[in-house]
Amino acid sequence: MDALLTKAEKKETTKVKNITGSEALLQCLVAEGVTTLFGYPGGAIMPVYDALYGYRDKLNHILVRHEQGAVHAAQGYARVSGDVGVAMATSGPGATNLITGLADALIDSTPIVCITGQVFSHLLGTDAFQEIDVVNTTNPVTKWNVQITEAKDIASSVARAFYIAKTGRPGPVLIDITKNAQNEILEEFEYTKCEGVRTYKPKPQLQLSQIEEAAELINNAKKPYLLAGQGVLLSGATQELIAFSEKTGIPVACTLLGLGSFPTDHPNYVGFLGMHGNYSPNINTNECDVLIGLGMRFDDRVTGNVAKYAKQAKVIHIEIDKAEINKIIKADVEVHADAKEALTALTEMCAPKKHWAWIDSFAKLDKLEREKIEQREFNVTGSIRMAEVIKNISELTKGKAVVVTDVGQHQMVTSRYFKYKDPRTNITSGGAGTMGFALPAAMGAKLAKPESQVVAVIGDGGFQMTAQELGTIMQYEIPVKILVLNNSFLGMVRQWQELFHQKRYSATEMTNPDFVKLAQAYNIPARRIEERTDLVPALKEFLESATSSFLEVVVGKEDNVFPMVPAGAGVSEVLLEPKN
């Protein structure tokens, strides 16, 4: 393994004598700056947990209630902090319970390192108790993985894992360590951080010729339009994006994972893109003459029917992962680069401009959306609507909270109505759409940023997938705010069944337990409301609590989320209300 490391890596060295492989692993984590990790012990990882007993002053281990909770918590920690999140599990089912989170982290570019125990080396391939081929099982859902069978390879493998996880387009890495490697004694242990791996070039060199091509298109454009993705956040380019938009006058819309990369109160911000995004950003995608995709994948939830997507526009795609360029939308100008570097160079080459008439066209469409949708959302009687809840949370927190959403209608409503002001405050499962993500991810987010208000917004379906993590919140007194919007349905699936399957509600209606009693069983203050007059007082009490708190809001059972781009439709065919 050492042969894979370059000379540039021989820095920040830690040397220790006569330690076990398990203690060497923990030394590696400390050297990488890890302070918090999430895990669940078991037989094959027990030597590491035994060594961990002596590292309680350096490593804060959070015992989750399920390994999926560990990996989602590590994701939340990474997404808020920008650091590598760490999760740990035993072999067999412990390791396979990480797979959902690994897949989620891969598609959403989240830097995490997962460490799994494995049976003794001499038992590999014998179907020993709790033996599963974790490396081959996780190959499709990791950026890199490795199995360590000798203690001498721990240091170089861990160094490489952290480097790969956090560089270039970030992603998940898995390290599988056999039990004998954990037990072996290393007469001399040396740890050096990795600063390069042969054949892996995470950061492409900026090509000024590509920037010049892009600048020429932008300078001659009448209706330029920028779509900001999570790459802006990952590269730390929020200020550069603001500077670029202000100099060029270009309107900016955000993808689901790009929310927070551009302030929602900026005059050039035009909204949230996608299937349930705002009306104007979708409509004007097919009206612009130059379309700039910045740190985003042109995901199907953004493009709708690709055959009907932005055919009139010249496309500039700025992306660090070359595999994403031309994968879905053909680029007229390819800029294979880090978003921050590309924006800095592009801003310098672009001419100062204003596009007031073009931006005003978004405002006119926004007015239509408000008339058609917000009248239904906010001027209503009867059941509380999800939009009312989120709008009030946004106003009460002034858009400054870290909001962690699960997957479904509440996720789309939150993305539309929470007015994000800061980067790394929108934490959600995007590409994988993992129900059960929010509760453990919110724990991780709060532990990463204890000074921030962290609110988990969850549907009644997703909440029950990882509700056991209330036990983790109780044990470690993690003061997260847990909001469950309860419509007694798997709401998004039900909406599709209503609109496209003649209201045949097959396996989507839910009989739920008493959520308040469940939360109280975990010593978490809890309340349920059904009346609109109780909403704002309950939210204030909920948000102002010094401890964790749980609020269940009963919302309309058959409320729908609009706008909506139906399956197979183009973005300009976005609906503001159901078709008759």
Side-chain angles (χ1 to χ4, degrees), residues 9 23 33 43 76 84 117 122 167 173 220 231 325 333 356 365 410 441 506:
E9 299 172 73
E23 191 172 353
V84 177
H122 71 275
T167 54
V173 170
N220 292 318
I325 300 175
V333 176
W356 296 125
L365 293 168
H410 67 278
S506 177

Side-chain angles (χ1 to χ4, degrees), residues 369-405:
E369 179 177 336
R370 287 194 299 274
E371 291 171 353
K372 289 279 190 178
I373 293 177
E374 293 190 14
Q375 290 295 324
R376 294 199 304 267
E377 301 278 33
F378 301 119
N379 298 313
V380 295
T381 57
S383 300
I384 299 170
R385 297 185 69 104
M386 288 180 280
E388 299 175 79
V389 183
I390 301 306
K391 183 181 180 184
N392 277 292
I393 289 178
S394 184
E395 290 172 353
L396 289 168
T397 63
K398 298 181 172 55
K400 291 288 187 178
V402 174
V403 180
V404 187
T405 51

Side-chain angles (χ1 to χ4, degrees), residues 12-35 37 48 51-52 54-55 57-59 88 115 154-156 158-159 162 177 186 188-193:
E12 296 189 51
T13 300
T14 300
K15 290 185 178 181
V16 184
K17 291 184 181 293
N18 297 317
I19 61 172
T20 65
S22 294
E23 191 172 353
L25 172 66
L26 301 180
Q27 289 272 359
C28 296
L29 297 182
V30 171
E32 286 291 345
V34 175
T35 57
L37 64 156
V48 173
L52 187 61
Y55 280 73
D57 61 332
K58 296 177 181 177
L59 293 169
M88 196 154 62
I115 299 161
I154 288 173
S156 56
V158 172
F162 274 82
I177 312 178
L186 288 164
E188 187 171 281
F189 163 77
E190 181 176 319
Y191 186 75
T192 304
K193 284 189 179 183

Side-chain angles (χ1 to χ4, degrees), residues 144-158:
W144 181 70
N145 65 14
V146 65
Q147 185 174 81
I148 300 171
T149 59
E150 296 180 86
K152 66 180 179 63
D153 292 327
I154 288 173
S156 56
S157 296
V158 172

Side-chain angles (χ1 to χ4, degrees), residues 228-367:
Q230 190 187 197
V232 178
L233 296 164
L234 295 174
S235 67
T238 53
Q239 292 305 314
E240 286 75 11
L241 176 55
I242 292 168
F244 173 76
S245 176
E246 290 179 348
K247 180 178 181 181
T248 61
I250 295 177
V252 175
C254 290
T255 68
L256 175 62
L257 292 182
L259 289 168
S261 65
F262 197 80
T264 54
D265 55 0
H266 194 285
N268 289 357
Y269 179 73
V270 293
F272 163 51
L273 285 165
M275 177 177 280
H276 289 284
N278 294 112
Y279 188 61
S280 67
N282 282 309
I283 292 290
N284 276 351
T285 297
N286 284 0
E287 297 296 327
C288 65
D289 57 0
V290 171
L291 185 67
I292 308 162
L294 177 63
M296 49 88 75
R297 302 184 290 113
F298 287 107
D299 176 78
D300 63 288
R301 286 300 195 262
V302 165
T303 65
N305 187 332
V306 173
K308 301 178 180 181
Y309 186 79
K311 292 301 178 184
Q312 79 295 338
K314 296 290 186 183
V315 176
I316 300 166
H317 195 177
I318 303 170
E319 172 58 46
I320 198 167
D321 184 355
K322 192 168 178 61
E324 296 294 348
I325 300 175
N326 295 320
K327 185 172 85 173
I328 296 169
I329 298 297
K330 177 73 173 68
D332 294 280
V333 176
E334 304 172 21
V335 182
H336 179 214
D338 171 78
K340 188 170 187 173
E341 289 184 1
L343 274 179
T344 301
L346 194 57
T347 302
E348 196 172 311
M349 290 189 185
C350 285
K353 283 198 174 184
K354 301 294 182 187
H355 292 284
W356 296 125
W358 171 227
I359 288 179
D360 189 54
S361 73
F362 287 87
K364 289 175 180 176
L365 293 168
D366 287 341
K367 183 180 178 184

